[in-house]
Amino acid sequence: MTDTAVKVDTMTDIAVKVDNLWKVFGPKASRIPGSEDGKLPRDELRERTGCIAAVKEVSFEVKKGEVFVVMGLSGSGKSTLVRCLTRLIEPTAGEVMIDDHDVLKMSESELRHLRRTHVAMVFQHFGLLPHRRVIDNIAYGLEVRGLGRKERQAKAHEVLDLVGLTGNADSYPDQLSGGMQQRVGLGRALAVDPSLLLFDEPFSALDPLIRRDMQNEVIRLHHEVRKTMIFITHDLQEALKLGDRILIMRDGEVVQIGTPDEVVGAPADDYVRDFVSEVPKSRVLTLKWVMRQPGPSDVLDGPELPPDTIVQKAARLVLDSDKPVRVVENGELLGIVRDDDILRVIVSEEGGDSA
């Protein structure tokens, strides 16, 4: 979704701000952040103190309307991190701001209001009420909020159509497939009209075809409702497909934050490089990664494309043109792309080498 990434310049456009966030499990956990022990690698910290730093010095910002993906292997701290954002797990130290509200300073009543009104979460396990119809499951958050039956049913019917469940209002969860049940979960989250949607590996239990359909559904919904989304996954392909930007975690720490093409084109270290080694780069890298500066003999009246064009989408135009394709942004020539620039990426995929 790189080509739809939201560009912002001011703090008013920040939906979520996390600063120096820690979650430490173990005895006297509050002493670890900022201490010498807190600088130790995870295994050494556990051996010395009996504590585990599940989230360690994590800082990032999420822009309004952005799909921000947090990914990492099992045990990297990503699910703990997303639960810390609304204090489903209580952070040990740090700051979490959601829509300019300091979450860690909220009272219990303020926290309940945040969870009911501003933030909705979609889990891997759907958590549907088996004895209630689909329409009542979708309306459940509105019921908790205190809306009357007529009003919440009307809103639930709107959302029912939005998430592709038209005709299933009176079905019960056990009559639906896993993908359809997850659509109910999406509908329930959207019905309360939150400013922020949190997804904690919602599709990992689904089979590959249904999972792909649900990823496409998230992309479609994002284009329609433009909600800010934080999406947790262990699947790199899912992260690259969904994310405007991606945060990669390892052992509770941030390894890299960047757009999909930045993560693939300029991995921060060997850990990320290994992660992205099998990625079809022509489907992720943009022209800014393959363009070159024009030489004195280059003809500069060929077709033009913007720098954020995916290589795969540019390939036909570049290969069919008898002149270099100009990479242009805001009227400025940034570089040119020729046949061999495109072919180098495609050949590297076939050979398994880095582009």
Side-chain angles (χ1 to χ4, degrees):
M1 296 176 65
T2 308
D3 57 339
T4 62
V6 178
K7 299 181 185 301
V8 299
D9 299 305
T10 65
M11 281 300 296
T12 58
D13 290 314
I14 300 300
V16 179
K17 183 177 184 293
V18 176
D19 187 38
N20 197 31
L21 189 68
W22 288 73
K23 177 56 190 178
V24 182
F25 295 98
K28 300 179 180 178
S30 61
R31 297 185 180 183
I32 300 301
S35 70
E36 288 300 311
D37 285 337
K39 299 176 183 178
L40 295 173
R42 179 181 280 184
D43 289 344
E44 290 184 36
L45 176 66
R46 183 174 60 244
E47 290 177 9
R48 179 175 294 189
T49 67
C51 292
I52 296 176
V55 174
K56 180 178 179 180
E57 294 182 303
V58 170
S59 299
F60 62 89
E61 293 178 350
V62 181
K63 306 164 188 175
K64 289 184 179 178
E66 182 178 27
V67 179
F68 187 84
V69 176
V70 180
M71 72 153 297
L73 299 177
S74 179
S76 62
K78 57 189 184 299
S79 290
T80 302
L81 171 62
V82 76
R83 283 166 167 77
C84 284
L85 299 183
T86 58
R87 289 170 56 188
L88 292 176
I89 293 177
E90 196 69 34
T92 306
E95 180 183 72
V96 177
M97 303 290 292
I98 296 179
D99 293 332
D100 295 326
H101 298 294
D102 192 334
V103 177
L104 271 60
K105 292 181 180 178
M106 286 183 175
S107 65
E108 287 298 319
S109 62
E110 290 172 330
L111 203 52
R112 283 194 298 272
H113 180 73
L114 175 79
R115 294 169 182 166
R116 290 178 179 178
T117 307
H118 295 291
V119 182
M121 196 159 187
V122 181
F123 295 94
Q124 173 183 340
H125 303 291
F126 317 128
L128 304 181
L129 302 171
H131 60 290
R132 291 197 175 195
R133 300 174 304 158
V134 164
I135 194 69
D136 297 317
N137 268 280
I138 289 177
Y140 180 70
L142 300 172
E143 181 180 345
V144 170
R145 192 183 287 181
L147 265 68
R149 178 175 176 80
K150 184 177 180 179
E151 186 177 356
R152 65 177 186 259
Q153 289 279 313
K155 178 63 177 177
H157 274 288
E158 291 178 17
V159 174
L160 192 81
D161 296 335
L162 182 64
V163 297
L165 287 170
T166 304
N168 290 279
D170 294 325
S171 299
Y172 287 88
D174 63 0
Q175 297 174 313
L176 304 177
S177 67
M180 296 292 274
Q181 289 182 44
Q182 192 57 280
R183 287 175 186 268
V184 180
L186 276 172
R188 182 176 56 193
L190 287 168
V192 298
D193 196 25
S195 61
L196 174 64
L197 279 164
L198 305 177
F199 296 83
D200 188 11
E201 301 205 61
F203 310 144
S204 59
L206 304 177
D207 71 54
L209 288 178
I210 296 176
R211 182 172 187 160
R212 184 181 63 191
D213 288 344
M214 292 306 300
Q215 291 166 356
N216 292 335
E217 186 71 5
V218 168
I219 293 171
R220 182 187 68 80
L221 285 171
H222 182 250
H223 281 293
E224 289 197 24
V225 300
R226 302 306 300 177
K227 297 291 185 184
T228 306
M229 300 179 177
I230 297 180
F231 196 102
I232 307 299
T233 183
H234 64 271
D235 186 300
L236 178 63
Q237 295 294 344
E238 187 166 73
L240 294 172
K241 182 175 183 177
L242 298 179
D244 291 322
R245 287 187 301 142
I246 301 168
L247 182 157
I248 298 178
M249 294 187 72
R250 176 183 58 200
D251 292 341
E253 298 182 72
V254 175
V255 180
Q256 184 170 0
I257 300 176
T259 60
D261 60 313
E262 289 169 344
V263 170
V264 172
D269 61 11
D270 289 340
Y271 178 77
V272 181
R273 192 170 291 108
D274 288 342
F275 248 128
V276 303
S277 61
E278 301 299 321
V279 172
K281 293 178 174 56
S282 66
R283 301 179 187 178
V284 180
L285 294 183
T286 58
L287 292 185
K288 70 180 182 181
W289 294 96
V290 300
M291 67 184 185
R292 64 176 75 179
Q293 291 302 306
S297 61
D298 285 315
V299 178
L300 300 180
D301 61 353
E304 67 178 56
L305 288 171
D308 60 354
T309 305
I310 302 295
V311 168
Q312 186 183 60
K313 294 181 179 180
R316 181 178 294 276
L317 178 62
V318 175
L319 296 177
D320 286 347
S321 176
D322 58 356
K323 299 176 181 178
V325 169
R326 295 173 297 142
V327 182
V328 177
E329 185 174 42
N330 297 325
E332 179 184 357
L333 178 66
L334 303 181
I336 60 171
V337 178
R338 307 179 66 161
D339 292 8
D340 52 338
D341 301 314
I342 296 293
L343 292 173
R344 187 175 68 251
V345 178
I346 295 173
V347 170
S348 74
E349 291 175 358
E350 296 174 351
D353 298 323
S354 175

